[in-house]
Amino acid sequence: MIDFLPFLPQGHDGVTNEIYQIARNAWLFQLKTLLDAENDQEFMVELTNNESLHEFIASVLNNQLDGNITDSEISKRVFFVYVRAARLHSIDNPLFTPEQLSSFAVIYGESNPSHVRTLFSQVLVSNSKLASQLDETIGALAVCFESATASSDLDRLYVIARLLEALVSATIAFNKNKNDITATVLQSILKCYNDALQKPTKGKIDSTITTTSTLYRIKCALLETWNHIMDVLYLNPLLTASKNDADEIIDVLSEKMLHWIEESNIEQTRQGFVDAPLIMDWIVTFSVDEKLDEINKKRFQGDDERIEFLKLLTEQKKGKSVAMDSKREQSASGTISTIAQSFQQADDIHEVANISQIHDLFPELGEGFIRACLKHHNNDVEVVIMQLLDDDLPEPLNTLDRTLKELPPSAGQVISLDENRQPSILDSRRNIFDNDEFDLLSRETISVNKSKIHMGPRDRGTADTMLQDQSFIKSEKENVLQRIHKMYEDEYDDTYDDINDLSGPVDLDAVENDDALDVVKSNNKSQASTNIIESEGDLVSAYVDRRDLFHRSNRKLPARQALQKKTGMSEEQIEGWAIMMDRNPRRQRILDRYMLFDGNQTTVDNSTKTTQASNSKQRSQKQPQRSGPENEQRQRSYKDKNKARFGNHNRKKGHDKKMVKAGVAGPSA
């Protein structure tokens, strides 16, 4: 067996730098020898029976938990020992105890979350006893938050919060009892966040910079735990669940979120991480509204009204949240001023948290060097940690001093932001016209819109979205309406103006000038107009009785030929008159005028008219002339009784006219 030397941190009392380097080389050699064991049985014998190995790994983990400096290479090889041991599914392994796994999750969970979850799943699936012990540990940690008060020790709460976050993140995804466990954890976190952690910011304890920083880190840890549970239980399953299961998940999520929002009583503007409740800080920090919108588009094509309602609700509550620094000048309390001053020293409070996270794993690195690494990788903590563990930093960072305390202003010009830009299609293209006079894309002044260039077929969406696109129908509808409008424009139609012009050869010598031609055409038009005016009654009568008689296909009908002979008009004139009558806005008035007299009444001779006039005169002479109030009263009474017979108020005649026009009945008696 390998006899491991006891582990001591760098800078320990009585340990010089030379002695530490000798011990470090020995530890690295012993760990390498253990990892290089070709026989798994030999490796498991070392893990099970080597007490010096157990003490060495426990000392390394405890040293990192205490915040002491730990060599990164030693930490990385200890991590590899756990990974290989988990793959062997060993049940009775001293490294896999609740205490050891809890320390392992806290140390490596933030930098390697996916690997830690895989390791825990491999260990706990084959060891149900260990899984139940970890569940009891999570329950005990939740009870600590449920019983927390405003006077609780914040440092102790921060340790519990980090441990709870690490264990929940590592185990909850594959835990068989996750529904019962998460219900307890969510209730405890919600009570502590909205009650105990709100009171210190209101002046009930001394709000120093250290207290404020610790309080912020506790809230961040609790929010991470809350968000991971919500993702595992509700948000992530919506993307893969069946329709029935998805409906059930949405109903439960809607009910819980509405309950939490109503319980938080968010009616006024709140300040993030100061007096805002947990549900508001969770919505703002993790952009819950954007998550819901993405799920609705990917899974339901944006048609689920319940998710859309939750998105609108979260957007509304998000608008009531105010960042810490926005009320710095408005607040009069010493607590808010202290918070603003503490965070003013850093460009971003999340950057401070990221630097602290990396500094916990690599205490020997300076703050300026860590800030330069984060700036280069767009604040991606996992990428920075992996490059530091593999000693694979890019060239601008590899030349910097790793003990740099502050980043000089000139370093910003050397260290550029790595945006992970996707390679352009134009960079990888190969064409026979590259860089010649026909290559439009390589010129300094490009006249081609590069946004219209795409690789492969253009993404036009799914079949449902294409069917729901009504833009083509709307454009065609506008074109049809415009054509109809132009068709019925009230303009003079001169199509048949030259119907009656003289046909055949014309002797131009007989015409002296152009004025004579104009006179001839004018006379012809006048003659045609006269024929139409004289025959308009006959045309109207035929139009009312039989409209299809004016159609081009009915020229051979006897009635049509009789009408042409009676009016003296040509076929084209008759058809043109009917078309113009259809378009005439005064058509009804013309029809009414001719229908009052249809031309079939008997003609009254002059003698009859003279006799009727004389009789009327004699009757008027015989009747006594009455005047005064009595006569006026009689006239008024007579008019009231017979007012429907006078002027344009004869309703009976109007009714008869409409009935005759419709062809239903003849005049009433």
Side-chain angles (χ1 to χ4, degrees):
M1 291 187 180
I2 304 173
D3 188 10
F4 281 83
L5 297 176
F7 177 78
L8 293 176
Q10 187 177 6
H12 191 271
D13 295 340
V15 179
T16 61
N17 190 25
E18 296 179 357
I19 297 177
Y20 178 79
Q21 291 297 330
I22 295 174
R24 175 181 178 275
N25 295 333
W27 294 326
L28 292 177
F29 176 77
Q30 292 172 338
L31 289 173
K32 184 177 182 300
T33 304
L34 176 64
L35 292 172
D36 290 342
E38 297 180 357
N39 191 349
D40 291 338
Q41 184 177 1
E42 180 182 353
F43 179 79
M44 289 304 303
V45 169
E46 290 284 348
L47 293 183
T48 306
N49 302 325
N50 195 338
E51 295 291 340
S52 62
L53 174 62
H54 303 161
E55 294 178 359
F56 174 80
I57 293 179
S59 300
V60 172
L61 296 179
N62 292 332
N63 185 70
Q64 295 185 73
L65 289 177
D66 294 339
N68 296 325
I69 299 176
T70 304
D71 186 79
S72 60
E73 190 64 26
I74 295 177
S75 178
K76 181 170 67 174
R77 295 193 181 185
V78 169
F79 178 80
F80 291 155
V81 170
Y82 270 91
V83 170
R84 182 174 181 181
R87 293 175 180 174
L88 300 178
H89 301 287
S90 175
I91 298 178
D92 298 329
N93 193 332
L95 299 182
F96 296 150
T97 62
E99 294 79 8
Q100 295 285 78
L101 289 176
S102 299
S103 301
F104 180 84
V106 172
I107 295 170
Y108 300 103
E110 293 183 0
S111 57
N112 298 279
S114 58
H115 295 291
V116 171
R117 293 190 193 107
T118 303
L119 185 145
F120 270 79
S121 64
Q122 293 173 346
V123 173
L124 299 182
V125 167
S126 59
N127 195 338
S128 59
K129 180 180 179 181
L130 182 59
S132 62
Q133 290 176 348
L134 288 177
D135 292 343
E136 294 176 358
T137 302
I138 294 175
L141 295 175
V143 171
C144 295
F145 282 106
E146 188 173 1
S147 60
T149 60
S151 58
S152 300
D153 186 6
L154 294 182
D155 293 333
R156 178 175 175 272
L157 285 179
Y158 174 63
V159 174
I160 298 175
R162 284 197 62 188
L163 181 57
L164 179 63
E165 174 196 354
L167 291 179
V168 168
S169 175
T171 62
I172 202 65
F174 51 86
N175 197 317
K176 298 179 180 179
N177 302 322
K178 58 184 175 183
N179 292 327
D180 298 334
I181 296 174
T182 53
T184 304
V185 173
L186 292 178
Q187 182 179 359
S188 302
I189 291 176
L190 188 65
K191 182 177 182 301
C192 177
Y193 199 103
N194 294 340
D195 188 11
L197 298 183
Q198 298 293 336
K199 294 180 179 180
T201 62
K202 299 179 182 179
K204 292 193 175 183
I205 63 173
D206 184 19
S207 181
T208 62
I209 295 178
T210 304
T211 302
T212 303
S213 177
T214 305
L215 187 64
Y216 171 78
R217 289 187 292 172
I218 294 174
K219 289 187 174 183
C220 287
L222 294 181
L223 285 177
E224 289 285 351
T225 306
W226 180 281
N227 181 69
H228 189 74
I229 293 176
M230 297 299 294
D231 285 342
V232 172
L233 292 185
Y234 304 110
L235 300 182
N236 291 340
L238 284 177
L239 296 173
T240 57
S242 62
K243 187 177 185 304
N244 295 332
D245 294 341
D247 291 339
E248 183 178 355
I249 293 173
I250 294 173
D251 292 337
V252 175
L253 178 62
S254 302
E255 181 181 357
K256 288 185 176 295
M257 288 192 66
L258 290 175
H259 173 69
W260 291 330
I261 292 175
E262 291 177 359
E263 189 180 38
S264 301
N265 192 19
I266 309 174
E267 299 296 337
Q268 298 178 353
T269 302
R270 302 291 185 91
Q271 201 167 6
F273 292 95
V274 177
D275 60 348
L278 181 142
I279 191 68
M280 176 179 281
D281 284 341
W282 174 58
I283 291 173
V284 175
T285 304
F286 295 96
S287 300
V288 180
D289 55 335
E290 297 179 2
K291 285 185 178 181
L292 293 173
D293 185 52
E294 183 179 0
I295 292 173
N296 195 10
K297 290 179 179 179
K298 288 185 177 180
R299 183 65 172 81
F300 305 99
Q301 289 77 41
D303 296 334
D304 195 287
E305 297 179 355
R306 295 168 295 177
I307 297 181
E308 185 68 19
F309 172 75
L310 289 179
K311 188 197 80 169
L312 296 177
L313 183 62
T314 52
E315 286 180 349
Q316 180 186 5
K317 301 308 175 184
K318 187 177 181 179
K320 293 182 179 295
S321 177
V322 180
M324 284 187 174
D325 294 335
S326 62
K327 286 188 176 181
R328 181 173 53 195
E329 297 178 358
Q330 303 176 4
S331 177
S333 63
T335 303
I336 302 300
S337 300
T338 304
I339 293 174
Q341 293 174 3
S342 63
F343 294 138
Q344 188 178 4
Q345 299 174 359
D347 295 335
D348 190 356
I349 192 168
H350 295 288
E351 184 181 7
V352 176
N354 294 337
I355 292 174
S356 176
Q357 179 180 346
I358 298 176
H359 196 269
D360 291 341
L361 295 176
F362 306 97
E364 70 277 5
L365 300 180
E367 182 178 349
F369 178 77
I370 297 176
R371 182 176 284 108
C373 296
L374 290 172
K375 182 179 179 181
H376 182 78
H377 293 290
N378 197 15
N379 291 326
D380 194 336
V381 180
E382 293 189 8
V383 174
V384 174
I385 292 176
M386 290 302 298
Q387 288 187 355
L388 290 173
L389 291 175
D390 297 336
D391 196 14
D392 188 21
L393 292 173
E395 187 60 30
L397 300 176
N398 197 21
T399 57
L400 289 179
D401 184 10
R402 300 201 174 194
T403 61
L404 191 65
K405 298 298 181 183
E406 294 182 1
L407 186 64
S410 60
Q413 302 177 358
V414 180
I415 302 171
S416 59
L417 179 64
D418 185 11
E419 299 179 352
N420 296 325
R421 182 177 63 88
Q422 295 293 334
S424 174
I425 300 175
L426 302 178
D427 296 339
S428 59
R429 70 185 182 123
R430 294 293 180 268
N431 195 290
I432 59 173
F433 299 114
D434 284 348
N435 300 322
D436 63 8
E437 59 182 355
F438 296 101
D439 191 359
L440 301 178
L441 301 176
S442 64
R443 298 178 182 175
E444 296 181 357
T445 303
I446 299 177
S447 59
V448 180
N449 188 2
K450 292 186 178 182
S451 61
K452 296 182 179 180
I453 301 176
H454 57 88
M455 179 177 292
R458 186 186 299 276
D459 185 11
R460 302 183 183 274
T462 61
D464 294 335
T465 57
M466 294 178 66
L467 291 175
Q468 294 174 1
D469 186 9
Q470 303 293 328
S471 59
F472 175 76
I473 298 176
K474 292 180 179 179
S475 62
E476 288 301 313
K477 184 178 180 181
E478 293 177 358
N479 294 335
V480 172
L481 293 177
Q482 187 176 5
R483 290 196 294 268
I484 293 174
H485 176 72
K486 291 182 178 180
M487 181 187 301
Y488 292 103
E489 284 184 349
D490 191 10
E491 296 180 355
Y492 177 72
D493 187 4
D494 58 352
T495 305
Y496 304 102
D497 286 353
D498 55 351
I499 294 298
N500 293 325
D501 289 349
L502 295 176
S503 59
V506 179
D507 188 5
L508 296 180
D509 296 335
V511 181
E512 297 180 356
N513 50 31
D514 294 340
D515 295 337
L517 291 175
D518 295 338
V519 171
V520 172
K521 291 183 179 180
S522 177
N523 293 333
N524 292 334
K525 291 182 180 180
S526 301
Q527 182 65 27
S529 301
T530 303
N531 294 337
I532 294 176
I533 293 173
E534 293 177 353
S535 307
E536 190 172 13
D538 298 331
L539 293 172
V540 170
S541 178
Y543 182 87
V544 173
D545 294 339
R546 188 175 178 183
R547 172 62 182 85
D548 59 346
L549 190 63
F550 293 85
H551 197 267
R552 182 182 180 88
S553 60
N554 296 329
R555 289 184 176 182
K556 300 299 182 179
L557 294 179
R560 173 68 176 271
Q561 294 178 356
L563 178 64
Q564 181 183 3
K565 183 177 180 181
K566 187 176 183 180
T567 58
M569 298 170 61
S570 64
E571 300 287 356
E572 290 79 4
Q573 285 179 323
I574 293 175
E575 295 169 1
W577 179 89
I579 293 174
M580 296 307 297
M581 177 61 74
D582 292 338
R583 299 183 182 179
N584 196 339
R586 301 176 62 253
R587 178 182 59 183
Q588 190 60 42
R589 295 183 62 182
I590 297 174
L591 296 178
D592 293 343
R593 183 180 64 188
Y594 282 98
M595 288 304 297
L596 293 177
F597 179 78
D598 56 1
N600 297 324
Q601 289 82 352
T602 58
T603 305
V604 181
D605 55 2
N606 294 331
S607 61
T608 305
K609 293 181 180 179
T610 304
T611 304
Q612 291 178 352
S614 62
N615 292 337
S616 177
K617 184 176 182 180
Q618 292 176 1
R619 284 195 302 270
S620 62
Q621 290 177 355
K622 292 179 181 180
Q623 293 179 356
Q625 299 293 330
R626 297 179 181 179
S627 61
E630 183 179 358
N631 188 21
E632 294 180 359
Q633 184 67 25
R634 288 176 180 273
Q635 292 179 358
R636 187 179 296 108
S637 177
Y638 178 79
K639 290 180 179 180
D640 289 340
K641 293 180 180 179
N642 300 278
K643 62 182 179 180
R645 297 172 53 192
F646 300 103
N648 59 349
H649 297 288
N650 197 332
R651 302 191 184 101
K652 184 178 291 187
K653 288 185 178 181
H655 174 267
D656 293 342
K657 181 174 61 177
K658 293 180 181 178
M659 297 296 288
V660 170
K661 182 179 178 180
V664 178
S668 60

